[in-house]
Amino acid sequence: MNNIEVRERGQHHGNPSQLKFGMKRKAKNSVIHQGEQRTVDTVRQMRDEGLSLRAIARCLNQMKVPTKNRGVKWHPEMVRRLIQF
């Protein structure tokens, strides 16, 4: 259709400007960021224990766990995205 690529719903378009939480860039490659990965594991465990996204975000903010954007507070939507991947 006029050489326009149609992307699947939910697929990222273009290059992501920022790596996913739990990853870091090392020599043009994405590798696991151990500190952030521990946070991802903890968040998934908290969710498995029945905590709501809002409660998890509140807990992360109280513990002063940094986000990828350093200084931005955790929000339930950020937690949801973190759990999805």
Side-chain angles (χ1 to χ4, degrees), residues 14-77:
N15 293 326
S17 60
Q18 182 173 328
L19 291 173
K20 290 187 260 183
F21 194 85
M23 302 298 289
K24 67 180 177 180
R25 190 161 314 282
K26 189 171 185 177
K28 295 187 180 183
N29 293 322
S30 297
V31 296
I32 293 175
H33 186 290
Q34 295 299 327
E36 290 181 358
Q37 195 59 48
R38 282 193 298 273
T39 300
V40 172
D41 294 340
T42 301
V43 166
R44 286 187 177 142
Q45 181 181 358
M46 292 166 83
R47 186 65 173 165
D48 289 344
E49 291 173 1
L51 269 73
S52 68
L53 299 175
R54 186 171 304 225
I56 294 170
R58 188 178 316 117
C59 184
L60 293 171
N61 287 325
Q62 288 173 349
M63 294 187 321
K64 298 188 187 315
V65 175
T67 64
K68 230 11 168 178
N69 288 341
R70 310 278 186 236
V72 175
K73 291 188 177 190
W74 286 94
H75 298 280
E77 178 62 19

